[in-house]
Amino acid sequence: MLSSYRSLPKQALLGVVFVGVVLSSNWKSGLLAQKFEANYDEAKVPQYELPVLIDAKTAAAKDFASAWELRRTELMDIFAKQMYGTSPTSAYELKFEKIESANCCSGLGLRQQWRVWISTQHGQLPIDLLVFTPSNANGPVPCFLGLNFGGNHTITTDKEIPLTTSWIRENKVNGVSNNNQASESGRGAATSRWPIEQILAEGMGVATAYYGDIDPDFDDEFTNGVHALFPEHRPSAEHPDRWGSIAAWSWGLSRLLDCMSMQIKEVDAARVAVIGHSRLGKTALWAGATDRRFALVISNDSGCGGAALSRRAIGETVGRINTSFPHWFCPNFKQYNLNENSLPIDQHQLLAAVAPRPIYVASASQDLWADPHGEFLSLSLAAEVYQRFPTAKSGSSDAPVMRLGYHLRDGKHDINAWDWSHYLRFMKQL
Ligand code: GTR
């Protein structure tokens, strides 16, 4: 089955010119050439002043929701142009191809595989979407959507899921390289991160795609993956505010949501939560902030560039992340290397941009690299905006309203069934 959808060319942003520091042509050179030593000591957190979340004009407004809308637009524009990069506004076409639909999980679920084709005049890109929904559902169900790190074949042992043919990270077994190709040895390798049966048993669905289908995770100067479909929007020294890989992955999540809302009748598109772990947690946050169709947003151990406050510079810092992963953010973000205090934004403002939709931030006690306390602080600060929205029950269930969720799991940087049990409970409010 093949269905298609043509996007309207989106209106270009009008009249907003962001005045920033113009980067010199060596923006990619090693600004942090000296050895990096992470700080894990609260006493050594530099003095910082956070940018204001609700400015005086917004605070004084009679109608907070309308005033916040303007303030939010202002903040999101800065996040886009200084950190994640703007997404392209030119037209593209979407096609949805149904690959498979089958019973799975010992009769507990329905498994669907779809191929989402994105095309422009410059080429086409397939993204493989894997969706599980409970087989005993009476109607469309709430559903989690998140990208995975290794290919759809890694999240379950189901043999019907083909190995990804996209580029995967190099892995050496007994000194032998995988040549960036998936193999059977990876099948089911990430099942602990995707407790499908636990989710189905709660009457919910879960959908995923491989992030490398959208943009391979290495620095190729933004020429492959979805960047290749929009060469006119390629980041460069002249255009340092254009999308990096996190923004590209997030944009891909929105296209997957397009497919779910237009094609997958088992899913209630008004109750889709975007979720992600680590770099894909940063991605989930940016997707959830930019695309308000996501009804709920979950960040699992997203750390620097995700939920953690940049100014604390605990664990991973802006300079470090831009050096290790020069392609994740837009080139403009590099001007804040070792210079967090001059950032016009910080991450509490990104979390607040999700308001009044529910948001959940989770940390792990041993994941100091991601600064658990900085993640918690940032969520607490975002509450200032949530407090100003009236508390209302959205769904028909008797689940409690929990607009802000946080947990600190004991243990390492990871996402597991214990984390999911909390997300499932939080999700019930939809
Ligand atoms: C680390 C990176 C983190 C986090 C993590 C991951 O190397 O420093 O920001 O994103 O990778 O995605 O697993």
Side-chain angles (χ1 to χ4, degrees):
M1 191 208 292
L2 205 64
S3 328
S4 73
Y5 160 79
R6 187 178 289 277
S7 82
L8 293 173
K10 288 180 199 129
Q11 234 180 352
L13 283 174
L14 294 174
V16 188
V17 178
F18 187 84
V19 185
V21 177
V22 178
L23 293 168
S24 66
S25 57
N26 68 345
W27 59 268
K28 282 177 67 73
S29 68
L31 281 164
L32 293 196
Q34 64 274 53
K35 197 173 173 297
F36 175 77
E37 262 186 53
N39 173 43
Y40 293 113
D41 182 353
E42 282 291 336
K44 291 190 184 143
V45 169
Q47 281 242 315
Y48 63 84
E49 199 179 321
L50 286 170
V52 170
L53 180 52
I54 303 176
D55 60 356
K57 193 167 145 227
T58 312
K62 285 219 173 71
D63 173 3
F64 176 75
S66 319
W68 171 250
E69 192 54 33
L70 297 176
R71 172 70 177 146
R72 181 186 181 280
T73 306
E74 203 173 276
L75 292 171
M76 286 297 285
D77 192 52
I78 305 174
F79 274 110
K81 292 179 177 159
Q82 296 297 302
M83 190 168 177
Y84 299 99
T86 61
S87 294
T89 51
S90 40
Y92 57 89
E93 196 181 335
L94 284 179
K95 283 197 177 116
F96 307 117
E97 186 183 352
K98 191 168 191 175
I99 307 286
E100 186 217 26
S101 178
N103 289 325
C104 68
C105 313
S106 319
L108 203 62
L110 173 73
R111 182 187 63 229
Q112 297 184 46
Q113 298 192 63
W114 288 79
R115 187 157 292 158
V116 178
W117 290 93
I118 306 172
S119 48
T120 67
Q121 53 174 314
H122 302 288
Q124 57 176 1
L125 182 81
I127 307 172
D128 286 345
L129 175 66
L130 173 63
V131 187
F132 294 89
T133 48
S135 46
N136 62 356
N138 295 323
V141 294
C143 188
F144 296 91
L145 171 64
L147 299 175
N148 65 71
F149 280 88
N152 292 347
H153 65 281
T154 63
I155 79 144
T156 147
T157 49
D158 291 2
K159 288 267 189 296
E160 296 81 0
I161 298 163
L163 298 180
T164 182
T165 53
S166 296
W167 177 97
I168 62 166
R169 258 187 284 176
E170 191 183 25
N171 179 25
K172 281 190 180 153
V173 178
N174 300 329
V176 182
S177 165
N178 64 359
N179 291 320
N180 305 111
Q181 293 293 308
S183 70
E184 278 299 328
S185 65
R187 187 174 295 285
T191 47
S192 66
R193 290 184 166 183
W194 298 90
I196 299 164
E197 298 198 359
Q198 185 185 353
I199 298 168
L200 296 176
E202 293 289 347
M204 297 177 197
V206 56
T208 187
Y210 173 46
Y211 81 137
D213 279 5
I214 304 169
D215 192 24
D217 191 1
F218 63 91
D219 182 18
D220 73 328
E221 308 204 341
F222 311 108
T223 50
N224 66 12
V226 74
H227 285 108
L229 301 187
F230 300 96
E232 74 289 351
H233 196 72
R234 190 177 159 197
S236 63
E238 291 71 43
H239 298 287
D241 60 354
R242 292 180 175 170
W243 59 346
S245 291
I246 291 176
W249 297 324
S250 304
W251 188 89
L253 279 166
S254 289
R255 304 296 69 80
L256 297 172
L257 181 57
D258 291 340
C259 176
M260 289 162 76
S261 62
M262 290 186 231
Q263 302 292 323
I264 305 181
K265 63 177 193 324
E266 290 79 6
V267 167
D268 180 354
R271 291 186 291 163
V272 173
V274 64
I275 183 169
H277 167 62
S278 206
R279 70 197 67 184
L280 299 177
K282 310 179 208 298
T283 302
L285 283 174
W286 186 237
T290 50
D291 189 339
R292 291 200 254 192
R293 292 175 301 166
F294 289 114
L296 187 150
V297 179
I298 303 169
S299 148
N300 190 92
D301 303 2
S302 62
C304 178
L309 291 175
S310 300
R311 278 171 174 72
R312 281 169 50 81
I314 280 216
E316 188 170 31
T317 62
V318 170
R320 175 65 191 194
I321 205 167
N322 278 329
T323 307
S324 314
F325 307 102
H327 56 295
W328 281 4
F329 299 91
C330 75
N332 264 341
F333 195 44
K334 295 184 173 68
Q335 65 193 289
Y336 306 106
N337 289 352
L338 298 171
N339 190 19
E340 286 89 351
N341 260 318
S342 66
L343 267 166
I345 35 82
D346 212 319
Q347 298 310 99
H348 61 308
Q349 296 170 319
L350 179 67
L351 304 189
V354 174
R357 291 167 295 151
I359 185 166
Y360 200 118
V361 172
S363 315
S365 61
Q366 293 169 29
D367 187 17
L368 302 181
W369 183 244
D371 188 14
H373 190 57
E375 295 185 311
F376 175 72
L377 280 180
S378 163
L379 182 70
S380 314
L381 291 161
E384 192 191 349
V385 170
Y386 279 84
Q387 283 160 13
R388 302 233 184 180
F389 281 97
T391 309
K393 242 177 122 30
S394 53
S396 53
S397 80
D398 57 6
V401 175
M402 301 184 283
R403 288 195 295 172
L404 300 172
Y406 179 83
H407 73 241
L408 176 66
R409 176 176 42 75
D410 212 7
K412 294 200 175 98
H413 184 70
D414 198 2
I415 178 168
N416 64 21
W418 191 89
D419 294 309
W420 277 96
S421 67
H422 292 278
Y423 303 147
L424 286 163
R425 191 162 154 255
F426 194 67
M427 184 79 160
K428 281 194 179 151
Q429 69 185 293
L430 289 186

